[in-house]
Every structure is written in C-alpha cells, then in structure tokens.
Amino acid sequence: MAESEQFNFPSEEEKVLNFWKQIDAFQSCLRQSKDKPRYTFYDGPPFATGLPHYGHILAGTIKDIVTRFAHQNGYHVERRFGWDCHGLPIEYEIDKLLGIKGPDDVQKLGIKAYNDECRKIVMRYSSEWKIIVNRLGRWIDFDHDYKTLYPWYMESIWWVFKQLYAKGLVYHGYKVMPFSTACNTPLSNFESGQNYKDVNDPAVIASFPLDEDPNVKMIAWTTTPWTLPSNLALCVNAKFDYVKVRDHATDNVYIMMEARLSTLYKSEKEYTLLEKFTGDALQGKTYQPLFPYFESMKEQGAFVIYCDDYVTDDSGTGVVHQAPFFGEDDYRAALKFGVIKKGGKIVCPVDPSGKFTKEVPDFTGLYVKDADKLIIKKLKEAGRLVHQSVCKHSYPFCWRSDTPLIYKAVPSWFIRVEDIVDDLLKNNAKCYWVPEFVKEKRFYNWLKNACDWNFSRNRYWGTPIPLWVSEDMEEVVCIGSIDELEKLSGVRISDLHRENVDDITIPSKTGKGVLRRISEVFDCWFESGSMPYAQNHYPFENKENFEACFPADFIAEGIDQTRGWFYTLLVLSVALFDKPPYKNLIVNGLVLAADGRKMSKRLKNYPNPDLIISNYGADALRLYLINSPVVRGETLKFQERGVKEVIKDVFLPWLNAFRFLNQNIKQWELTSNTKFVFNENTFNGSSNSKDKWILSFTQSLNLFVRKEMKAYRLYTVIPRLVRYFDQLTNWYIRFNRKRIKGEVDQSSCHAALQTLYSVLYTINRLMASFTPFFTEYIHQNIRHWLATESIKDMNTDSVHFLMIPEVKENLIDHEIERSVARMQSVIELGRIIRDRKALPIKYPLPELVVIHKEKQYLDDVISLQDYILEELNVRELILSSEKEKYGIRLRAEPDNQTLGKRLKGSFKAVSAAIKELKDEDINELQKKGELSVCGNVVTTDEIKITYTVDKEHKVNETAYEAHSDNDVLVLINVTPDEAMLNEGLAREVVNRIQKLRKKAGLQPSNDVTVYYEASDASEENHNILKVIAEFRDYIENAIKQPITQGFVPSEDNIIIQDTAVKIKNYTIKLQIAKGHRN
C-alpha cells in the first residue's frame, strides 16, 4: 500500500470523491462556465458489454486532461458520455448465450425475441464503467449521455444516410468482402485490418493438366485448400519467365515460374529444364477441372489460363489458382476475362456460417477450415497433389468473435468513398494531429488507398437501413425521418429497430405493388461515425447549437481508430458538409502487457486496474500512463512498478514539500504571533536569489505548459511537470531549509514561505487537470491562507473551480535560470565523480575545477559558487578555459552493439582505430557528426566520447578525476588530507546520531543529551574519540543538542542506546537520554 507517514493516497482520493459529490463539483463547474466561449469535445462510444481496460483508461485520461485544461482556460466544455449499443459485439454474445449458429436459428426465435435478448445485455457493465470512470477522476456527464439505440439517435442516422443517398454516394453491389462466419456477416475493409494474427495454414501445390497435352501440368500453390473446389481459372504474369520441367522423382512435366523453382526443388539436379517462355505464352490455354462440381462452366469459358500483373515472383509457384467468389483479385480478373459475368452463375458453395453447401456433395455441412484435410486427401487420391507443407503467415481474424475471416462474394450496400478520396485528403490536411506522423503517414496512406465502404450488415440488432425497394430493385425510396415514413406508409412508430419497421410497406408509385424494406442494418461504425449529429438529434433539434459548435475542437482515441472511428467520422463529415469533423486530435499508442504481448484475460498477463487504483491511487495511474511513450503514439509495456515509482518520484516529494510548507507556516505564525496570508495579486517576488530562481523557473514552466497544451503536446508537458518536483524539493527546499525554518531571521523566513507558497499554489493549479485528486487535497489544505481580498471574485471551494494562473512575466529571469541550470550541471557531474570513486559526500575534498570555453558560463558558475562548494563538500573552486593544462584529453569508445551490427567483418579493425583517435579527430567528429575511420564512415551515435585524465600529467602533484556532459568539464582533486578525512568522520557521527533519534521517534524540539564512548580500548577506537572531541562544536550545532563522553549514570533517563555503532573501521557506543546535562 502506498503510504507515507500514515498518508494513504487511495483513501485520500476516496475522501476527495465524497467531497466532489457533496459540492456537486462537475455540474458546478459547468454552471460557472455556461456563459463562456464553447469548447466542443466528442467522446467516442465504447461498448458496455465488456469492462474498461487500460486502453480505455488511457484515452479517458487524455480526454479528461484536455477538457479540464480547456475549462481552466476559460471555456465552457460539455462532456457527454456515449455508448455503442448495436452490432456484432452484442449479437455475438447473444449467439453464444442462445446457441445460435446461423440465420435460420434467428428466424425460428423471431427477430423481436432476438433483439429483446440483445437489449437486455447492452448495458451489462454500465454501472461498472461509471464506477471506474468516476474513480479515475474523469469528469463526464453520464446523466445526459447518448446511446446509439435511442430512437432519436437512430433517426439522425437515417437523416445522415438520406443525405448521402441523395448525393448519389450509395450503391448496391456484389463484391468479395472479408466475411465473419461466426457472425454471419461481411465486414468493411477497415474492420478486417484490426485483428491480424500469425497462423499455421496448410500449403498445397496442386496440378492442372492442360487439355492440349494432359501430360503437361500447370502447378499452383495455395494456403486455402478449401477454395480449390471452386476453382474456375489459373492466372500467370505475362512478363515473367516460366519454365517447363521434368520432375526426376515422378517423371511428371510441370509448368511454373522460373523464379519460383525453389518452392518445389532444393537442387537443379531434381529436374530437367525442357522449355522456357514468358507468361503470355500461356494465355488462353485450358485445363482439366480439379473437381467435377462446376465443370459445366467450361462451356462458358471457365478452366482457362489468363494473365494479370497482380501475380508476383515472391511466393508460391507463380501460378495462382482462381476462385473468383473467394478472392478480390480473382473476382476482378475473372470478370475481366469473361470467366464469370455480372448476373451470371455464382460459384460460391459456402453458406453464411462458413459451411459447404450441397453444391459440393463430398464436403456438404463441413466448416471450410475443417474441410482442408479431406480436400487434400481427395487431391492425393486423384493424383493431383504435387506437394504438401505448412505455411506460417499473418491472417485476418474477426475483431469481435476472434475467429478466422474468409473472403466471400456477397451482395452488399456501399458508400462511394473512392469518389471522395481527394476531398478526404484535403479535409484531413486541415486537422491538427498529435503525433503528426500518424496523420502524415498512417492515416494519409489509409485515406489515399481507401476503398468503397461496405456499411450494410446481414444482422438484426442495429439501425435498419431505411431503403424501401420493389421486388425487382428498380424502385427505391430512401426515408430520412420518422415523419417521412409515416407520411409515405401511414404508420407512426417510436422505435426504429427491425421488429418495428420490417413489416411496414410503402405503396409503389410506379405500379409495382408495395415496397419493402431491405433486410440489412447499418454497421456500428456508421452509427458511431454519425455521433456528432445523432447525439444532438440533428437536424430535428439543436440545429443552431450544433452548427455553431461544429467541427469539434478536440477528440482523442487509440491508434487503432485510424481505421475505425477517426476514419468513419471523417468520411461522413466530408460526404455531408465537405468539412473535417474535428480540429484537433490526439492519438495514443497501445498499452501492452509487461511481456510485450496483447493484454489477455485468459493469460492473466496484466494487473487488474481496480487493484492498481486501490493500491496506488488513480492519480499515480494517470500520471504513469501519460508520462510514457503512448502519448507519442507508441506502445507501452505496462509495469506495476512504474506506477509505484510515480508515488516515490512525484507524489511523495510533492507531499513532503507541502508538509514542510505547512509545518513552517504554523511555526512562523507561532513565533511571530501573526497570521500568514498570501495575496497573489500583490505578491511581486523576493530579493533573495534562490527565491528569484524558483519563482522564475515556475513562471517559465507556466508559460511552457500553456504554449504546449495549446498545441496538445502532452508528451512535452508531462515530463517537465514531473521533473519540476525534483527542482522544487532537491534544489530549492534543500538549499533553503534553514531560511524556511526561520533559522536565519524572521524576515528571510517570511520571504521564503511566501515564495514556497506561491510556487506550490501555482504548480497545484497547473497540475489540477493531470492529477485531480492530489491537487484537490493540497488546495483544501492551503486555501485558508489566501488573502480574502485576492479571491473575492473567485469560487475557491475546489481547485477545479480556479483558472490557470496568468503568467507573471515580471518574475521571469532568464539569466538566473541559466546560472542555476549551469550550477546544477556542475554539481551533478561532481556527484558522479564522487560516486565513481566511492567518495561519500560527507568527506570533504580539496579542489573542484570547472572548465568551459565561454566566459559567461564560468561567470554563471562563480556567481553561485557557495552552493557548489557546500553541495559537493569541496574546499576550493577553480575556473578555467584550458583543459590541456590539466592533462585532459578526449577518449573515443565504439558502441559495440550498434557499430558491430553494421560493420560486421570490418568491425574489429575499426574498433581498434576508434580507440586510438586523437583529440583533433574527436573534435572533428563532434563538429561534423561523422568521421571516416579505416575507410568506414562512423557517426556520433555509434561512438561514446568521454574525457580522461592523463595519469602522467599532474598539476602540483595533484591527481584529478574528470567528467563531462559534452558541454562543461568538471575535475575534482580526489585526494583528501587527514583533516578532511576527520571532518568526514564527524559528519558520519552526526548521521548515526540522527538515525538513532529518528528510530526513537524523537522530534527536533525534544531536549536530549547524546552520550558516547568507545566500544573497547583499542587504538583505532581511541582515534575516533579524538575526532569527536575535535569536532564537538560542529556536531552539537548540527544536531542542536549537547553531546558528552561517557554513558549516563541513571538508566531511568535513557531513551535509546546502541552499543555497536559502525563508522568506517571504528565501533562506538551511543546513548540518548532525556533532558540537557547540567
């Protein structure tokens, strides 16, 4: 459990949730902003048939951050939750529940009964969704949500469709489509691309004897043996070379592509080359059917060889078997060469459940994938099987049922997307995407190659497509509203689902009897893509409101939606209005399990989100997710320890900073007998250089956050915000503890407290959108110190009612920020040197040398030398611009992994040469970014450059250790004298005393006396007693309590003791007793 001194982050968040509920925080925000400019946000609707996962949590967090930030910047932001209620996700669950195998089962049950079952589970997990969304701190309106099953939502879908139909963008066609046999329906091309998996499929090569000479056989390769009974043609590439060969093992004569001989033969010794020719020589030749089921089509021109460029030389035999009704290219080529004709016989002996029909009696009733083995057996028995193997390849699966898709020719309804591709590209260019590469590459390429959209589904639970047609399909009426349907049919309905509209007829105007509705429904992507209009019941209601706020200012979803919701939103918006539906869009990457695989309930390879939240809190989870590669559109391997580290690295330092402020304000109030008050309007900074720095640093951060959030770049904002707490606690507070605690003087203490309050108050508002719970906790505990006159026109009941603070440019001092940054660089380099040489900071060192060519840099360092000397515990700081004076030279080391992988055989020689590079060579490399070494060009990315001290070169017999960040060079004299070593020991003694006091639970205000003595009479232990005596004043000043040699005579006063305290090679006894000695 994440706790710090009884502070439990998750339980405190629960208290904040209750507080928000009490003050009706979210709705109060909306009421406060109702007259402000509108900021429009669209929420993509999830299905409530499953529980939210980390992908939902991530996208929801991004949406919450951006919309909260917009509110804090003076906008009115409506946030309505949406639910996807129709389509395959729901129907698939019902099919499993009721054991429904196909359309016949639904007809037996009845569409009304089937849809009633679907309706029951639509909102199965809605309460769980509400609980976890609220627990994550996301503010969104569930009470005024939209559901795609609402009649008013469905009516707007009808209106959208009628506009497209009126523009001639809708047509009925017969196309080979990805088909889900588990769901008995075709899918759109973008749906089929959402779930590819690597699978092992049978790969066979079958023979096709030519009619002109049955001893000569074409051989074709396929990984779908189940399509072979429907073979009607063979296809070759006219431009490639083909060969006739005699197989030595069987004496058979085969024709295949020359470039693909390796598919069948390992060696040229296995065959004899008889003839070579280009593919066009095979055009028009006929062959013997593989199976007898459709041999009657030979009279119509089937079982022929033709040429097409889609045949490649990178797989198979270079001869492609054609089953026109099970392959998109097959269908196109077969139509082109007259093997099949529009309106002619359809060779598609597979039903909607993926089972063979009676047209192929040998396999009737078998699921196609299950029939592969029997088909191969038949081929073998007929002497038509040439070769059999297994092929591992990437294959599309149904995104809902997770079962393999097949490609199958079906009659469907389409939107002419190909006709508006230029408009899609034009409007996409108007949108701002983060990250941009998704827009410029992934989405652009998808739009550029967009196919017509198959939007119809042969299903039941969905919005019915509002087309009423005559029996011959010649008369078609498109309905765009409930009123229009009533006007033409005389029937008024309030629910638009199939059970209510399927039996409604419309009289024909051309004497064709009555028109009946087509049976298909819209796919759920059409419904979600219509949400900008349908959630407002546009154009039937809210017309002016919608048109004033369209397109949306902001949307966000995962990268998988580039072929989903982002795409359908754009297609419909462009088709309707020639406008993009959104202005700004954030695309997040995918959250994977720690092992890099997809998160799986079955594998249990990820921690339950509820458990993570209950252990660490929602703020920690939010910050972990958004401070990761996913906000740049990359993947994140979810690690629980990452959430835990956010507590340690961000929230605990932040909490401690607040507690330190709180504790010392109270102490100041007690000492000065004055109430502490902070007035942001009148606060103009401090004259203290450390205060100036943190105030400037905070205001610069405010400026940066505003600028970057305006550009929706969370990936630049979050790291800067997170790093801020290191600057605040490890640099500002650490360097100012004595001032803040009042140990300097009251005036300086008050200035430091005002400064610390100012920056905490500022960062708290900046962080409110990102970590809504902890910022609320901080706000509730510091707001009582705000001056009444400074907040008279503000509602300070919640931090989320406050606006982002205006940037105080008068507090920004770029020079002091630059100086402190350079000071920090020097200190951090010095720390590295100490760590490398195992020299604890407690032990003083004689000298620090800072080398830089720029005078300004050295001036900045000298201006803050006191902090550098104190922090690194060195006696003297020397500045120089001459590294040669100290025997410093550059050293180059090859990056073995990077360079070795690229150079392979020549790596050894290049590696040796790199290690021998001179300073002038390395300087050239740094300047140009590359260098020629042994005839190979190497770059700075492939070489590690460090500084090294020439051991033979000494200045006044002093040995230095060096380190650099490729800007400044730092040297430390690492040979302390005896006095320095003794001072280090004294610091160690202070450290052990303080640890013992902490162990006893003592407070700084508790009066105690520290007693010490040697553990034995050895010479070594006698030496440390001399050190303690020598540095007694220093030790007493550090612990602010008296120390004395010898143990206390009365045990009654002993608080704690340790008789074996180790300090280096020494052992002493320590005892802490009540009160000060006389």
Side-chain angles (χ1 to χ4, degrees):
M1 188 67 70
E3 292 186 12
S4 173
E5 297 179 13
Q6 313 311 311
F7 192 91
N8 184 303
F9 287 94
S11 64
E12 289 298 330
E13 289 182 354
E14 295 282 0
K15 293 175 188 176
V16 170
L17 280 172
N18 288 331
F19 170 70
W20 286 344
K21 191 174 181 181
Q22 289 167 16
I23 66 171
D24 194 17
F26 177 37
Q27 292 303 321
S28 295
C29 264
L30 294 176
R31 286 191 292 271
Q32 291 168 26
S33 65
K34 65 180 180 2
D35 296 325
K36 294 181 178 179
R38 293 286 297 273
Y39 181 92
T40 310
F41 159 70
Y42 294 157
D43 191 34
F47 289 97
T49 48
L51 291 168
H53 52 66
Y54 287 106
H56 294 120
I57 291 170
L58 167 64
T61 298
I62 292 171
K63 296 171 190 178
D64 190 54
I65 288 169
V66 173
T67 52
R68 280 180 180 274
F69 199 84
H71 169 84
Q72 281 189 289
N73 271 281
Y75 290 96
H76 178 70
V77 191
E78 282 188 3
R79 286 155 267 182
R80 294 173 63 193
F81 201 84
W83 300 99
D84 234 334
C85 302
H86 288 146
L88 295 181
I90 291 91
E91 291 190 299
Y92 183 66
E93 294 294 320
I94 294 303
D95 288 353
K96 287 194 297 182
L97 180 69
L98 302 181
I100 288 173
K101 303 299 183 186
D104 291 343
D105 293 337
V106 177
Q107 293 304 324
K108 289 175 188 174
L109 180 66
I111 291 176
K112 182 181 187 309
Y114 183 85
N115 279 356
D116 286 345
E117 293 295 326
C118 290
R119 197 183 299 270
K120 288 177 188 176
I121 71 160
V122 159
M123 303 304 289
R124 176 190 284 167
Y125 294 115
S126 60
S127 58
E128 286 87 348
W129 269 87
K130 290 177 185 177
I131 289 168
I132 197 164
V133 168
N134 286 326
R135 181 61 188 85
L136 284 160
R138 185 180 176 195
W139 282 4
I140 193 157
D141 194 342
F142 283 104
D143 295 329
H144 302 91
D145 64 2
Y146 71 85
K147 295 185 178 75
T148 58
L149 59 71
Y150 286 153
W152 49 263
Y153 190 100
M154 297 169 72
E155 185 177 30
S156 287
I157 292 172
W158 276 16
W159 175 85
V160 169
F161 179 69
K162 181 161 185 178
Q163 309 314 301
L164 271 57
Y165 184 84
K167 292 182 178 187
L169 292 174
V170 177
Y171 71 94
H172 187 251
Y174 212 99
K175 279 194 177 183
V176 175
M177 299 295 300
F179 193 92
S180 172
T181 56
C183 299
N184 311 131
T185 190
L187 302 179
S188 61
N189 57 324
F190 58 82
E191 286 175 299
S192 69
Q194 291 188 344
N195 188 18
Y196 268 81
K197 295 184 180 184
D198 285 337
V199 296
N200 291 315
D201 272 330
V204 299
I205 298 176
S207 68
F208 300 81
L210 294 176
D211 286 332
E212 64 184 25
D213 183 357
N215 292 318
V216 177
K217 302 166 184 177
M218 301 292 295
I219 55 173
W221 176 85
T222 182
T223 56
T224 54
W226 62 268
T227 61
L228 289 171
S230 305
N231 170 267
L232 295 181
L234 297 173
C235 189
V236 297
N237 192 306
K239 299 172 185 174
F240 291 172
D241 290 329
Y242 286 76
V243 290
K244 183 190 294 184
V245 298
R246 184 177 299 280
D247 184 288
H248 293 172
T250 63
D251 206 37
N252 286 325
V253 177
Y254 298 138
I255 292 177
M256 64 186 300
M257 189 184 288
E258 182 182 31
R260 299 305 308 159
L261 281 165
S262 59
T263 303
L264 191 58
Y265 300 111
K266 293 180 181 178
S267 164
E268 293 180 7
K269 297 177 182 178
E270 297 177 29
Y271 62 86
T272 299
L273 179 64
L274 302 177
E275 191 178 348
K276 180 176 176 179
F277 43 84
T278 52
D280 56 1
L282 297 167
Q283 176 82 36
K285 292 182 182 295
T286 58
Y287 61 88
Q288 297 176 9
L290 202 57
F291 290 96
Y293 315 124
F294 304 105
E295 60 185 0
S296 62
M297 290 194 66
K298 197 171 182 86
E299 300 170 7
Q300 302 170 29
F303 307 107
V304 67
I305 303 169
Y306 48 68
C307 301
D308 193 274
D309 289 344
Y310 91 88
V311 178
T312 64
D313 61 356
D314 58 4
S315 63
T317 62
V319 179
V320 180
H321 121 77
Q322 305 281 280
F325 294 90
F326 295 112
E328 196 171 355
D329 281 315
D330 303 29
Y331 185 82
R332 174 187 55 76
L335 268 177
K336 176 182 173 183
F337 290 102
V339 172
I340 59 172
K341 296 177 175 61
K342 288 187 177 181
K345 181 175 176 59
I346 296 169
V347 178
C348 188
V350 175
D351 69 17
S353 297
K355 295 178 180 178
F356 279 112
T357 64
K358 294 178 181 178
E359 291 176 280
V360 285
D362 294 313
F363 314 115
T364 302
L366 279 176
Y367 177 63
V368 291
K369 292 282 186 180
D370 295 337
D372 279 342
K373 288 182 180 179
L374 281 177
I375 292 169
I376 294 169
K377 184 181 178 184
K378 278 275 186 187
L379 292 175
K380 195 170 186 179
E381 291 171 353
R384 305 288 287 270
L385 181 67
V386 177
H387 187 263
Q388 178 183 357
S389 62
V390 174
C391 174
K392 184 176 182 178
H393 62 151
S394 186
Y395 193 83
F397 277 62
C398 175
W399 65 279
R400 185 64 250 169
S401 64
D402 207 31
T403 55
L405 297 176
I406 65 172
Y407 282 78
K408 182 175 183 287
V410 288
S412 299
W413 291 87
F414 296 87
I415 293 170
R416 299 183 193 276
V417 175
E418 293 166 34
D419 289 359
I420 61 170
V421 163
D422 289 344
D423 293 328
L424 293 175
L425 293 170
K426 175 189 72 177
N427 281 283
N428 182 51
K430 298 175 184 176
C431 306
Y432 177 74
W433 286 60
V434 175
E436 191 177 26
F437 77 84
V438 182
K439 168 188 172 181
E440 299 296 339
K441 295 181 180 178
R442 188 185 182 110
F443 198 59
Y444 175 86
N445 291 334
W446 179 252
L447 293 178
K448 189 177 179 182
N449 299 295
C451 301
D452 287 352
W453 175 8
N454 167 24
F455 65 88
S456 63
R457 296 291 174 268
N458 302 331
R459 298 301 302 181
Y460 313 95
W461 179 241
T463 301
I465 296 174
L467 290 175
W468 271 257
V469 301
S470 58
E471 194 170 336
D472 60 5
M473 296 285 287
E474 291 297 321
E475 185 177 353
V476 181
V477 172
C478 183
I479 301 295
S481 68
I482 293 172
D483 287 346
E484 186 180 3
L485 180 61
E486 181 184 20
K487 181 180 177 182
L488 294 178
S489 69
V491 179
R492 181 79 182 179
I493 56 173
S494 57
D495 188 309
L496 302 186
H497 287 92
R498 278 194 65 177
E499 61 270 26
N500 301 306
V501 301
D502 278 6
D503 292 334
I504 296 174
T505 59
I506 294 174
S508 168
K509 291 183 179 180
T510 61
K512 294 180 182 288
V514 295
L515 310 183
R516 300 185 184 279
R517 197 192 72 81
I518 62 172
S519 62
E520 292 93 337
V521 298
F522 288 103
D523 78 355
C524 55
W525 294 102
F526 192 100
E527 296 185 356
S528 59
S530 299
M531 66 77 57
Y533 331 105
Q535 71 166 347
N536 291 291
H537 195 206
Y538 180 83
F540 308 102
E541 296 180 80
N542 306 306
K543 192 171 187 294
E544 289 183 7
N545 183 43
F546 165 76
E547 290 173 357
C549 300
F550 181 83
D553 290 291
F554 167 69
I555 67 168
E557 292 294 343
I559 198 165
D560 52 330
Q561 295 302 323
T562 50
R563 297 185 177 186
W565 192 53
F566 299 152
Y567 175 68
T568 59
L569 279 174
L570 185 67
V571 168
L572 294 181
S573 178
V574 169
L576 287 170
F577 304 117
D578 195 21
K579 278 185 180 181
Y582 37 74
K583 298 175 186 174
N584 303 288
L585 187 156
I586 293 179
V587 187
N588 63 261
L590 301 179
V591 184
L592 304 176
D595 59 7
R597 290 190 289 176
K598 188 176 179 181
M599 289 187 172
S600 165
K601 290 179 184 177
R602 179 178 58 83
L603 296 174
K604 296 180 180 178
N605 61 352
Y606 66 95
N608 188 310
D610 289 338
L611 190 63
I612 293 293
I613 294 168
S614 65
N615 282 347
Y616 308 105
D619 276 346
L621 176 58
R622 287 168 65 115
L623 210 54
Y624 169 69
L625 289 172
I626 58 174
N627 189 31
S628 75
V630 284
V631 291
R632 298 193 301 270
E634 299 169 16
T635 56
L636 166 67
K637 295 178 183 178
F638 188 92
Q639 306 269 2
E640 182 175 348
R641 72 171 182 270
V643 185
K644 189 175 182 179
E645 285 169 2
V646 169
I647 295 285
K648 177 175 69 72
D649 296 339
V650 180
F651 289 103
L652 287 179
W654 190 356
L655 173 65
N656 290 334
F658 155 69
R659 283 177 164 172
F660 190 66
L661 172 71
N662 184 48
Q663 173 187 332
N664 286 291
I665 285 179
K666 289 177 179 176
Q667 183 63 39
W668 183 86
E669 288 180 331
L670 194 66
T671 304
S672 66
N673 198 27
T674 308
K675 177 175 169 53
F676 180 88
V677 174
F678 178 79
N679 188 325
E680 189 170 48
N681 298 334
T682 59
F683 178 71
N684 285 314
S686 165
S687 59
N688 180 277
S689 62
K690 288 165 281 190
D691 292 348
K692 282 183 175 180
W693 167 69
I694 194 63
L695 288 167
S696 178
F697 189 81
T698 305
Q699 292 303 317
S700 293
L701 177 66
N702 187 1
L703 189 66
F704 175 82
V705 169
R706 282 173 165 273
K707 175 189 168 191
E708 293 299 289
M709 284 300 289
K710 193 173 181 180
Y712 296 87
R713 287 191 285 263
L714 270 65
Y715 59 86
T716 63
V717 171
I718 309 300
R720 285 279 290 268
L721 286 170
V722 167
R723 286 198 300 270
Y724 178 82
F725 295 100
D726 172 68
Q727 299 285 326
L728 179 65
T729 56
N730 290 330
W731 294 97
Y732 177 71
I733 291 177
R734 190 156 173 263
F735 281 25
N736 285 271
R737 290 185 72 84
K738 290 181 179 179
R739 287 181 63 231
I740 297 169
K741 292 173 77 171
E743 294 175 9
V744 177
D745 59 63
Q746 286 298 297
S747 173
S748 182
C749 173
H750 186 256
L753 289 172
Q754 286 280 319
T755 296
L756 184 54
Y757 188 100
S758 171
V759 297
L760 272 174
Y761 184 43
T762 299
I763 193 65
N764 206 55
R765 285 171 289 171
L766 280 177
M767 287 292 292
S769 300
F770 305 92
T771 55
F773 292 103
F774 192 64
T775 51
E776 189 70 88
Y777 168 82
I778 296 286
H779 178 72
Q780 295 306 321
N781 284 279
I782 67 172
R783 72 187 183 103
H784 60 281
W785 282 309
L786 290 168
T788 307
E789 61 271 23
S790 71
I791 56 172
K792 60 184 178 181
D793 297 324
M794 297 160 57
N795 185 335
T796 61
D797 289 349
S798 167
V799 70
H800 303 292
F801 296 169
L802 303 177
M803 298 296 103
I804 294 291
E806 293 297 324
V807 177
K808 290 192 171 185
E809 305 227 10
N810 63 304
L811 295 180
I812 295 178
D813 185 333
H814 296 297
E815 288 190 8
I816 202 164
E817 285 191 55
R818 184 192 67 226
S819 297
V820 171
R822 289 171 171 178
M823 174 199 77
Q824 290 172 332
S825 295
V826 169
I827 290 172
E828 284 166 351
L829 290 169
R831 286 172 179 166
I832 291 170
I833 293 173
R834 275 188 171 273
D835 289 345
R836 196 164 64 204
K837 300 298 289 184
L839 294 167
I841 203 75
K842 296 180 183 68
Y843 290 84
L845 292 171
E847 182 184 49
L848 169 74
V849 181
V850 176
I851 301 173
H852 200 280
K853 291 180 179 178
E854 290 180 19
K855 182 178 182 299
Q856 182 62 63
Y857 195 109
L858 299 177
D859 288 346
D860 288 342
V861 170
I862 201 68
S863 71
L864 296 167
Q865 68 171 333
D866 290 348
Y867 300 116
I868 296 171
L869 294 173
E870 181 182 351
E871 188 62 23
L872 290 177
N873 196 10
V874 291
R875 292 283 190 259
E876 184 181 8
L877 173 64
I878 296 174
L879 306 178
S880 176
S881 58
E882 303 173 81
K883 64 179 173 51
E884 295 79 9
K885 177 182 174 182
Y886 293 89
I888 303 300
R889 62 182 180 84
L890 291 169
R891 182 178 178 184
E893 287 282 343
D895 184 322
N896 294 336
Q897 187 174 4
T898 306
L899 208 54
K901 190 175 181 181
R902 181 169 72 84
L903 296 180
K904 296 183 174 62
S906 56
F907 170 69
K908 191 173 181 180
V910 173
S911 174
I914 287 172
K915 293 176 183 178
E916 297 301 320
L917 289 175
K918 303 298 183 185
D919 271 29
E920 52 269 27
D921 299 319
I922 300 173
N923 285 327
E924 184 183 349
L925 170 65
Q926 288 180 314
K927 185 178 179 180
K928 295 181 178 179
E930 62 181 35
L931 185 72
S932 178
V933 180
C934 297
N936 293 275
V937 175
V938 295
T939 68
T940 48
D941 294 333
E942 299 169 320
I943 293 181
K944 299 172 187 174
I945 299 171
T946 58
Y947 285 93
T948 184
V949 181
D950 188 343
K951 300 300 179 185
E952 302 300 318
H953 185 104
K954 291 188 177 181
V955 180
N956 300 325
E957 296 303 311
T958 301
Y960 292 97
E961 190 71 22
H963 198 61
S964 173
D965 59 3
N966 291 327
D967 183 17
V968 65
L969 175 61
V970 168
L971 284 72
I972 293 183
N973 179 346
V974 292
T975 50
D977 58 25
E978 186 178 354
M980 292 179 182
L981 290 172
N982 287 343
E983 183 182 326
L985 283 173
R987 289 171 179 259
E988 296 272 15
V989 171
V990 170
N991 174 265
R992 302 307 189 277
I993 293 171
Q994 299 292 47
K995 283 183 176 178
L996 202 58
R997 289 172 76 186
K998 185 174 183 180
K999 187 177 180 181
L1002 293 169
Q1003 297 298 317
S1005 56
N1006 296 139
D1007 288 341
V1008 297
T1009 298
V1010 178
Y1011 296 86
Y1012 68 94
E1013 62 181 35
S1015 62
D1016 55 46
S1018 67
E1019 181 67 25
E1020 282 187 348
N1021 288 336
H1022 179 70
N1023 287 339
I1024 196 167
L1025 294 182
K1026 286 171 61 179
V1027 170
I1028 294 173
E1030 181 186 350
F1031 287 91
R1032 177 175 173 174
D1033 290 345
Y1034 164 76
I1035 295 169
E1036 288 187 336
N1037 186 54
I1039 67 173
K1040 294 183 172 50
Q1041 303 293 340
I1043 65 169
T1044 189
Q1045 188 172 350
F1047 264 25
V1048 65
S1050 170
E1051 292 189 3
D1052 294 341
N1053 291 329
I1054 296 174
I1055 299 171
I1056 191 170
Q1057 67 180 19
D1058 188 339
T1059 58
V1061 178
K1062 291 284 186 184
I1063 300 176
K1064 292 293 182 180
N1065 298 322
Y1066 309 106
T1067 304
I1068 63 169
K1069 299 177 182 179
L1070 286 177
Q1071 191 179 66
I1072 299 177
K1074 296 175 185 175
H1076 289 167
R1077 74 181 191 278
N1078 295 327

